Amino acid sequence: MSCTKAYVEWNGFKGTVTINEPVVRYPGNPILTCHDVNEIWGNDGRLYTYTVHNAGMAEVTGANGKTQTIMLFRSHIADGRSVIGKAVSDNGLNAWKIDPRPFLLPATESDLFAKGVDIASIIESEAGGVEDIRVNPVGSGLYVLTYSAYHGQITDRVKVMIAVTQDFKTVVRYGPISEQDMRNVVIFPEPDKNKKWIALLRPNDKNREVAGSGHIGGSFEEICTGFAAGPTGPWEIANVIMRSGHGPSAFQAKIGPGAPPIRTRYGWLNIFHGVRSTMAGNPYTLGVAFHDREDPTNPSKLRISAKPLLMPSASDCLVRETDYVHVPNVVFTCGALAGQDDTLAIYYGGNDTVMNIGLANIQILNEMCNVFRLDPLTGKHLYSL
C-alpha cells in the first residue's frame, strides 16, 4: 500500500510529512550552537568555537533505566582545526548538557590506543583536526566511532579513523580504516549472513594528487562497500554500490554516506548526502536509499530516490547577525535515530554552522524510493514524467 502522507512525533515535537515535503523541521532549531558551547568552553581561549555541526548520535539507557540522547558534535576552534564535543539531552531536543572538555581532540601520546597500532602515524594523521564523527552501534553495548582526521601539513590529506567506546567517556583508537584517503564511513549495525561486517565508504576517488601541491584531486562520485571479520577491522574496500552520475541531479557532483544504516521492514535505511554544482555554489542535500536486508551490498537490490530528502533553506542556519557562517547552502547528517510509529529523527548541520533536527516517516521514505527510482550504478532516472 502506498503512503503519501504521515504523522510524526518525537518527544512532544509533532508534525505531518508528505512525499513532497518529507521532513518537518523542529520550530526550535537550531538545537545547539557555538554560543551554547562557548558558555562551557569559552573561558579557555584555545577552545573558543565558531560552529557546532555534523554530529554523530546515539541513544543510551543508563543503569537507572532512563534513556538519554548523546550528541558528538563537530566544532571549529579559533585556529581553524575541528574538534569533537559531547552533549547529552533527556529528550533529544533541548536542555543539552555539554561536557566541560572536548570528547575527542587530535591524538597525543597520552591517549588510549589499541595494541599494535602505529601511534606516531595516528598522531601525525590527526594533527590537522578531527571531524564528522559517526556513532556506529555494533551490539553488546559497543560503539565504533568513525571520524575524519586531517593531516597537519598536507592540504586536504584526510583519513577515516576508527575508535571504540562503551561509555562515551573512554575512547580507544584503532587507527585508519584504510591507508587510502577517505571521508564519510558508516558501518552496518550487524554482520551479514556470511558473518562479515559491512561498511559504506567514500574514498577520495583514486587518491590522485595534483603534482607538487599535495592537494587531493578526484570527483568523489562513488560510494563503495567494505568488509571485515570484525567491526574494528582490518577492512577491505570492495565494489562500488552507488554512483552519482551527471545531468540534472541533486547528487550530480558528489555523494557520500551520512548516518549509519538503520534496520527497517523495508530494508536497511541509508541517509546519504549529495552535492550539485551550480552557478551560485555547491548546495549539499540529503538523499535516501534502502538496501536489501539479506543482500545489502548488491546494487541490483538497492532502491534510491532521485528526489532529495532534504534541501537547504534559510531556516537551517538561524544565527546572530554577527555570527560566522562556515559554508552556505548545506544540510549534512552524521546521525539519525528511529522512534515509534515509523518516525525518524534526523540530526543535521545547517551551513556547517549550527545543529538542527527534523522528523521524517519511514513509510514515506520507502515510497520515495519506489516512485522516484534512480539507477544505483549510473545515476540515471528510472521513472518517467
Side-chain angles (χ1 to χ4, degrees):
M1 179 181 296
S2 64
C3 179
T4 58
K5 185 177 181 179
Y7 174 80
V8 289
E9 193 274 333
W10 185 265
N11 294 331
F13 165 29
K14 303 175 183 179
T16 301
V17 293
T18 69
I19 199 168
N20 292 321
E21 298 289 342
V23 175
V24 57
R25 291 165 166 89
Y26 180 47
N29 282 340
I31 58 173
L32 200 67
T33 73
C34 63
H35 303 292
D36 303 313
V37 175
N38 284 331
E39 287 183 5
I40 309 300
W41 294 2
N43 288 332
D44 185 342
R46 296 169 300 174
L47 294 177
Y48 190 88
T49 185
Y50 297 90
T51 69
V52 174
H53 61 295
N54 298 5
M57 305 299 302
E59 280 190 316
V60 299
T61 303
N64 59 1
K66 186 176 181 180
T67 299
Q68 290 185 313
T69 302
I70 293 180
M71 176 192 293
L72 300 184
F73 58 86
R74 169 185 171 186
S75 282
H76 284 106
I77 56 175
D79 66 5
R81 289 182 292 176
S82 287
V83 301
I84 294 168
K86 174 186 164 187
V88 180
S89 168
D90 290 337
N91 61 11
L93 293 172
N94 49 42
W96 294 93
K97 298 176 182 177
I98 300 161
D99 277 10
R101 292 281 300 173
F103 177 79
L104 209 62
L105 292 163
T108 67
E109 291 183 354
S110 62
D111 290 313
L112 298 177
F113 298 88
K115 185 178 180 180
V117 304
D118 186 340
I119 295 175
S121 177
I122 295 173
I123 292 173
E124 179 183 352
S125 295
E126 295 191 5
V130 289
E131 60 187 58
D132 293 0
I133 193 166
R134 274 75 170 185
V135 181
N136 303 275
V138 295
S140 302
L142 194 68
Y143 298 87
V144 174
L145 310 175
T146 50
Y147 59 96
S148 298
Y150 275 85
H151 197 280
Q153 301 297 320
I154 302 174
T155 302
D156 287 349
R157 176 58 55 84
V158 59
K159 297 183 187 297
V160 169
M161 298 293 188
I162 286 182
V164 169
T165 189
Q166 287 184 296
D167 57 6
F168 291 94
K169 297 177 182 177
T170 301
V171 177
V172 179
R173 282 170 160 90
Y174 280 74
I177 196 169
S178 170
E179 289 303 319
Q180 182 173 354
D181 272 44
M182 190 173 299
R183 290 284 316 250
N184 307 311
V185 172
V186 297
I187 299 173
F188 285 74
E190 59 188 60
D192 66 8
K193 58 187 177 183
N194 298 316
K195 298 184 179 179
K196 289 281 191 179
W197 289 85
I198 305 168
L200 300 176
L201 317 93
R202 212 292 305 287
N204 278 4
D205 201 47
K206 295 178 176 59
N207 204 21
R208 297 193 296 259
E209 283 192 21
V210 178
S213 72
H215 190 86
I216 303 302
S219 57
F220 317 116
E221 294 175 351
E222 296 178 345
I223 294 177
C224 299
T225 57
F227 295 93
T232 58
W235 286 88
E236 175 187 355
I237 302 175
N239 60 296
V240 175
I241 193 171
M242 291 174 64
R243 286 191 180 95
S244 60
H246 304 281
S249 167
F251 321 128
Q252 158 261 330
K254 186 187 296 188
I255 55 172
I262 295 173
R263 175 186 275 274
T264 78
R265 64 186 180 280
Y266 303 111
W268 289 105
L269 173 61
N270 169 13
I271 305 296
F272 62 94
H273 69 265
V275 183
R276 181 177 185 175
S277 299
T278 76
M279 294 180 67
N282 302 292
Y284 276 67
T285 65
L286 299 185
V288 58
F290 283 91
H291 299 249
D292 185 80
R293 283 201 348 195
E294 302 304 318
D295 197 7
T297 61
N298 187 340
S300 68
K301 297 182 179 181
L302 176 60
R303 295 181 295 122
I304 307 172
S305 170
K307 179 183 176 70
L309 170 63
L310 186 68
M311 294 185 285
S313 75
S315 68
D316 293 318
C317 189
L318 300 177
V319 297
R320 300 175 185 176
E321 186 176 350
T322 56
D323 282 353
Y324 170 70
V325 175
H326 189 53
V327 185
N329 293 322
V330 172
V331 287
F332 194 98
T333 185
C334 293
L337 301 173
Q340 296 181 342
D341 300 321
D342 285 327
T343 292
L344 181 74
I346 303 171
Y347 291 84
Y348 66 97
N351 290 7
D352 277 4
T353 302
V354 299
M355 273 303 300
N356 303 303
I357 182 175
L359 300 184
N361 177 276
I362 292 171
Q363 290 186 66
I364 293 285
L365 304 187
N366 178 66
E367 190 68 8
M368 288 174 62
C369 291
N370 288 336
V371 173
F372 305 105
R373 292 293 292 270
L374 197 69
D375 187 299
L377 295 181
T378 67
K380 293 181 179 178
H381 296 169
L382 298 179
Y383 64 97
S384 58
L385 297 176

